[in-house]
Amino acid sequence: MCLAIPGKVLNIDYTAQPVMGTVSFGGIEKSICLEWLPDVKVGDYVLVHVGFAISKVDEKEALETLKLFDEIDEAYEELQSNEVVRKDDQKRQRPSV
Amino acid sequence: MRYVDEYRDGAAAQRLADRIRAITTRRWNVMEICGGQTHTIVKSGIDSLLPSEITLIHGPGCPVCVTPLEMIDKALAIASRPDVIFTSFGDMLRVPGSSKDLLSVKAQGGDVRMVYSPLDAVKIAQRNPERKVVFFAVGFETTAPANAMSVWQAKKLGLKNFSILCSHVLVPPAIEALLSSPSTMVQAFLAAGHVCTVMGYEEYIPISAKYKVPIVVTGFEPIDILQGVYLAVKQLEEKRYEVENQYSRSVRREGNRAAQQLIHQVFEITDRKWRGIGEIPMSGYRLRQEFSDFDAELLFEVANIQAEESPLCIAGTVLQGLKKPHECPVFGKECNPEHPLGAPMVSSEGACAAYFHYAPIRTRQEA
Ligand code: SF4
């Protein structure tokens, strides 16, 4: 019920009331209400629930979350410090933005 | 980066599960609030990846499941009227009332329509001025601003033929109700990321402090949930209890203020009955007085309808995390998605349906 999915803003119609825009979800385009994201720009990723964008996906935080995960890895590696761990294996492959 | 695939990597999930195992020294019970998270957990088998010391308890976080039976009966009564177009999100259509569901009302000639967004219901009202259009406004805080917007728009457009049947519920009072119950087994919570996207997480700080429980705001992909569990277990092991935000790519501390503002313009807080749990004080929204012209419960005089639950259904204990779905004596037998006896079997996010669809082998082994 609280499902919300990220999509990319393709255009914004500020004249509409409420403010509407086209959002692409992996190629499927939908008309979405953008009223609650005053600083949203074309190209931003937004999280959409029942036709309404409820937040802008923060790229920096998204990367931080994946980094937090690296830190968890490092903490684990410290725990296992008697084991020899190859530096390359620690690095997660990250898809490009 | 598309903010989906990165959080579904199987090898990464396994590594995270290993990390959780490495820090776990004793048994812990962690409750995920949201049905969407329950769905991910059971579907992707996260609970079987975790060390056996950690039990995930599936909380009451599916608005479809906790909508009281009499509210469904009210919806059925309104939808059966020939002058009404009854609109609803798809997942409410199959929820059984006392005698039937909305789909069977439709089969008997009722005009019941599924909508993707509450704004679609407003459009239907604009196009059908001679009919009364009612929208079934259920949901948590995530959905509240969207539903509020439908009423706001209808008022602005001067629509006289639009109303909502409102059964909104709020998460923090339910967490408090669970924590203050003497039978509670929950030691930490994964708070629902999309509820917090709208509302922020400041409300959870006093709850965490008062009951000494870690609360981790958590997203919905497998990696999100495993990270949420990791952070919760780490707090438990270190005897800390704080509110942490795993889902920071979407959740800001203060939430979405513009959406909150609209909620407060249209709705006010009220006591609300939760199916399977009972009445929880100050745990729902109802329309404010200024919007009473849009209140279907008043317009169609259904406020007095009462209803009884199936005596076989133990949804109450399941929704409070006291029993797992497959421990219900009629799970998968008298009660299944074709013939649900209780709402957790109807919605795909309900704990019982999630177990039925995704964990048949495991639950049969455990049972
Ligand atoms: S299996 Fe069916 S009867 Fe049992 S608790 Fe779940 S919904 Fe109720």
Side-chain angles (χ1 to χ4, degrees):
Chain A
M1 176 95 215
C2 289
L3 180 74
I5 50 172
K8 191 176 182 177
V9 177
L10 300 182
N11 61 55
I12 305 170
D13 178 3
Y14 292 103
T15 62
Q17 287 226 333
V19 175
M20 301 293 287
T22 309
V23 175
S24 165
F25 303 93
I28 298 164
E29 293 176 14
K30 263 185 177 301
S31 172
I32 299 297
C33 176
L34 300 171
E35 178 74 19
W36 304 322
L37 303 180
D39 57 349
V40 72
K41 295 185 297 296
V42 169
D44 283 344
Y45 275 82
V46 293
L47 205 63
V48 173
H49 171 68
V50 297
F52 291 79
I54 53 173
S55 74
K56 211 163 95 171
V57 183
D58 186 315
E59 186 189 322
K60 207 174 118 252
E61 290 290 337
L63 290 169
E64 283 290 315
T65 302
L66 292 171
K67 208 173 98 200
L68 164 73
F69 178 51
D70 281 354
E71 277 161 18
I72 294 174
D73 272 6
E74 277 157 30
Y76 179 70
E77 254 98 53
E78 269 166 40
L79 276 173
Q80 313 269 310
S81 53
N82 47 348
E83 265 180 28
V84 185
V85 184
R86 286 217 335 268
K87 212 68 193 153
D88 295 356
D89 293 344
Q90 292 183 4
K91 289 218 179 84
R92 282 192 74 243
Q93 289 236 316
R94 250 184 232 136
S96 58
V97 175
Chain B
M1 189 155 192
R2 283 179 35 207
Y3 307 105
V4 176
D5 302 338
E6 302 85 339
Y7 302 94
R8 291 186 182 167
D9 177 12
Q14 184 61 56
R15 288 218 307 281
L16 257 174
D18 292 345
R19 296 345 175 225
I20 294 168
R21 180 161 307 147
I23 60 164
T24 304
T25 63
R26 45 158 293 187
R27 298 192 70 83
W28 298 113
N29 296 322
V30 180
M31 175 178 273
E32 88 279 1
I33 294 289
C34 176
Q37 292 168 332
T38 302
H39 191 94
T40 304
I41 288 165
V42 183
K43 183 178 177 185
S44 56
I46 287 176
D47 44 351
S48 53
L49 273 182
L50 291 174
S52 57
E53 291 92 337
I54 293 175
T55 305
L56 292 180
I57 300 178
H58 313 305
C62 164
V64 179
C65 303
V66 299
T67 300
L69 195 55
E70 51 249 38
M71 198 52 93
I72 313 280
D73 284 351
K74 288 174 192 177
L76 295 168
I78 296 171
S80 304
R81 293 172 54 121
D83 55 341
V84 163
I85 300 175
F86 195 88
T87 58
S88 166
F89 295 130
D91 38 9
M92 292 308 291
L93 298 181
R94 289 194 58 236
V95 181
S98 296
S99 61
K100 52 187 172 185
D101 60 20
L102 283 165
L103 278 184
S104 47
V105 170
K106 188 179 167 79
Q108 289 157 12
D111 194 343
V112 177
R113 303 186 194 180
M114 187 181 111
V115 290
Y116 161 68
S117 166
L119 286 184
D120 298 341
V122 176
K123 278 193 205 125
I124 293 173
Q126 277 179 290
R127 280 193 223 112
N128 297 275
E130 73 299 344
R131 309 278 301 280
K132 294 174 180 149
V133 176
V134 181
F135 176 68
F136 201 176
V138 293
F140 281 130
E141 293 94 323
T142 319
T143 320
N147 291 348
M149 181 67 95
S150 72
V151 175
W152 184 262
Q153 275 294 104
K155 184 160 187 164
K156 216 177 71 188
L157 295 166
L159 292 181
K160 298 272 178 262
N161 64 330
F162 179 83
S163 60
I164 65 170
L165 180 61
C166 179
S167 185
H168 261 288
V169 278
L170 301 172
V171 171
I175 293 189
E176 279 223 67
L178 286 167
L179 285 171
S180 52
S181 151
S183 53
T184 188
M185 295 164 28
V186 183
Q187 292 161 299
F189 282 96
L190 306 185
H194 293 149
V195 167
C196 295
T197 297
V198 171
M199 301 305 283
Y201 53 82
E202 284 164 351
E203 297 173 90
Y204 297 87
I205 296 169
I207 299 177
S208 169
K210 180 174 171 191
Y211 296 95
K212 300 187 168 44
V213 283
I215 300 180
V216 182
V217 179
T218 303
F220 294 80
E221 298 297 340
I223 296 294
D224 289 322
I225 291 169
L226 283 161
Q227 271 186 6
V229 172
Y230 177 87
L231 293 171
V233 170
K234 196 155 189 288
Q235 284 200 42
L236 288 167
E237 290 283 347
E238 292 171 358
K239 300 193 170 55
R240 285 184 295 123
Y241 41 90
E242 303 163 8
V243 177
E244 278 183 289
N245 182 12
Q246 181 277 332
Y247 201 37
S248 58
R249 66 185 181 279
S250 172
V251 175
R252 320 282 121 82
R253 183 187 169 100
E254 71 285 357
N256 185 324
R257 291 267 195 235
Q260 289 166 28
Q261 210 182 1
L262 185 67
I263 294 177
H264 296 138
Q265 277 165 333
V266 175
F267 293 129
E268 61 190 5
I269 290 177
T270 183
D271 299 344
R272 182 71 72 199
K273 192 170 160 188
W274 293 52
R275 190 172 193 175
I277 294 180
E279 181 152 304
I280 304 178
M282 313 294 275
S283 70
Y285 285 135
R286 67 164 172 234
L287 285 167
R288 286 186 177 278
Q289 188 65 39
E290 308 91 277
F291 293 93
S292 56
D293 291 350
F294 299 91
D295 189 337
E297 237 177 308
L298 300 176
L299 297 177
F300 296 97
E301 294 170 353
V302 290
N304 294 326
I305 292 180
Q306 300 286 332
E308 295 293 325
E309 304 279 348
S310 161
L312 294 174
C313 179
I314 60 157
T317 37
V318 171
L319 293 177
Q320 290 177 66
L322 301 174
K323 281 223 155 97
K324 293 269 178 181
H326 62 274
E327 290 164 357
C328 170
V330 292
F331 172 83
K333 298 171 199 141
E334 289 92 332
C335 181
N336 58 63
E338 289 301 307
H339 299 282
L341 290 182
M345 188 56 99
V346 178
S347 156
S348 64
E349 289 176 10
C352 299
Y355 268 61
F356 188 91
H357 287 301
Y358 296 115
I361 299 161
R362 198 165 69 238
T363 49
R364 253 182 252 134
Q365 282 167 349
E366 284 173 27

